[in-house]
Amino acid sequence: MKKIMVLHGINLNMFGRRDPAQYGSTTLKEIDEELEKLAAELGVSIECYQTNHEGEMVEKVHQIHEEEVDAVVINAGAWTHYSYGLMDAMAILKVPVIEVHMSQVHSREEFRHFSIFSNIAKGQISGFGVRSYLLGLRVAVDIIMENGKEHS
Ligand code: DQA
């Protein structure tokens, strides 16, 4: 079974309690539950991981090299805009990376318009709330299946 790693970065454990105008009222636990449901429908397995510590996230990304992971969906939170360390770790990955954001980062403060993952990610989905994650998972599965066909 194909496996997708879902990475949630800094402050995202506070979804549901943080700035509802931007992020709504859904908690991270509820997001992960919706992702699990969709993964079951799509016939893939997922692992969801959250940390507020950059070094821990980098080590989780390193672990992906040792594991059978077929794609990564990442919302790195504010790290998206400045973490060269996380970018370097992600750049080592050979599997497709999909970047997602709950809020529409391009309509917010200017520092949020830049993403360190723009050279690494296949694409970015931003502004659809929980649906950004669900769309990210769907497109990750599509890309895996497409790559599988090319290689068969
Ligand atoms: C976010 C957008 C980031 O700019 C912000 O720092 C976050 C959340 C989002 O999901 O919209 O923490 O990644």
Side-chain angles (χ1 to χ4, degrees):
M1 190 183 262
K2 300 293 183 188
K3 177 173 173 179
I4 290 119
M5 181 71 72
V6 180
L7 299 175
H8 305 287
I10 187 162
N11 291 316
L12 305 193
N13 58 311
M14 298 304 283
F15 280 150
R17 278 180 288 172
R18 129 177 220 223
D19 197 353
Q22 291 297 345
Y23 305 119
S25 57
T26 312
T27 64
L28 189 63
K29 188 169 172 278
E30 288 164 344
I31 293 171
D32 287 348
E33 283 166 2
E34 289 212 33
L35 284 166
E36 288 283 357
K37 237 191 286 166
L38 180 61
E41 271 171 40
L42 297 174
V44 296
S45 78
I46 60 166
E47 179 184 335
C48 299
Y49 176 80
Q50 192 275 331
T51 179
N52 292 316
H53 303 279
E54 193 176 354
E56 278 179 14
M57 185 60 98
V58 165
E59 284 184 358
K60 186 70 183 173
V61 174
H62 293 173
Q63 267 175 34
I64 293 174
H65 291 277
E66 316 303 323
E67 289 173 20
E68 301 258 316
V69 171
D70 298 285
V72 175
V73 173
I74 183 166
N75 182 355
W79 289 330
T80 306
H81 314 301
Y82 66 84
S83 174
Y84 296 117
L86 184 55
M87 176 189 74
D88 280 351
M90 296 290 292
I92 309 168
L93 292 176
K94 293 192 176 66
V95 295
V97 172
I98 318 298
E99 177 184 346
V100 302
H101 299 282
M102 295 272 272
S103 64
Q104 166 49 299
V105 284
H106 299 283
S107 68
R108 299 182 64 195
E109 303 95 314
E110 202 158 337
F111 76 88
R112 296 185 204 275
H113 300 180
F114 172 75
S115 167
I116 51 150
F117 301 118
S118 53
N119 284 334
I120 291 164
K122 288 271 179 197
Q124 184 198 66
I125 301 167
S126 155
F128 299 106
V130 185
R131 287 196 191 95
S132 292
Y133 279 100
L134 299 173
L135 290 167
L137 179 58
R138 279 185 190 279
V139 83
V141 173
D142 271 8
I143 292 170
I144 293 170
M145 297 310 170
E146 214 171 70
N147 289 347
K149 268 187 227 153
E150 279 164 22
H151 296 144
S152 63

